[in-house]
Amino acid sequence: IAGITQAPTSQILAAGRRMTLRCTQDMRHNAMYWYRQDLGLGLRLIHYSNTAGTTGKGEVPDGYSVSRANTDDFPLTLASAVPSQTSVYFCASTPGGGSYNEQFFGPGTRLTVL
Amino acid sequence: GEDVEQSLFLSVREGDSSVINCTYTDSSSTYLYWYKQEPGAGLQLLTYIFSNMDMKQDQRLTVLLNKKDKHLSLRIADTQTGDSAIYFCAESLNTGGFKTIFGAGTRLFVKA
């Protein structure tokens, strides 16, 4: 089934630990995104990638890094997790290249940092 | 600046119409969208409207766009308990590339 997968589904992490959230899409979309969702704040863009080999910073990039080695994968890394990074993380993708920009979302990763 | 605002909660009775409102600030919007998020899931596109349209109807859904006031609304006719979800308003902006700005989401409660 075409779409976006994220792993893990949920994770409890000790503060200071390193964590990588995985995201894979099989739709050959050019653009991919990482958002965090917090109650009352909606979705906030962390990092994005318009095409393989390029990445950019979103609204709340501090404490996070991404890479885009190929079209399908867009991992998000927390180098040293802090409790304020407790959130639900969504990966999304779009075909790119036009003004119509429907985003396709993964099921999310619920991360708790203690 | 770029901002999309929506009220956080709406409660309706089953069978009534729901109207979810959204305001946005950037006049360079090309498309405006409504996404639906069910519990424990990611967002899914519900409907969209091109910025030169005033209205779009799709079965029980009606989208109204007032460009002068930068106001977007989503009306759900005959609201059902299965419509309980969070609804996000979003706009695509042409800023060299295209980016999408999401509102904070409106949680719709449908009472049986």
Side-chain angles (χ1 to χ4, degrees), chain A residues 33 35 37 39-43 90 98-103 105-107, chain B residues 30-31 33 35 37 40-43 45 48 88 92 98 100 102-104:
Chain A
Y33 310 84
Y35 295 91
Q37 183 179 22
L39 190 64
L41 297 176
L43 291 176
F90 288 100
S99 58
Y100 178 69
N101 198 28
E102 176 185 356
Q103 298 204 4
F105 284 81
Chain B
T30 54
Y31 285 87
Y33 311 84
Y35 285 81
Q37 183 184 31
L43 281 67
L45 184 69
Y48 68 93
F88 290 87
S92 283
F98 287 96
T100 302
F102 288 87

Side-chain angles (χ1 to χ4, degrees), chain B residues 10 12-15 18 79-81 83-84 108-112:
Chain B
L10 176 65
V12 300
R13 289 185 201 276
E14 190 175 23
S18 308
T79 311
Q80 303 298 305
T81 54
D83 295 323
S84 293
L108 175 64
F109 296 96
V110 182
K111 296 176 285 190

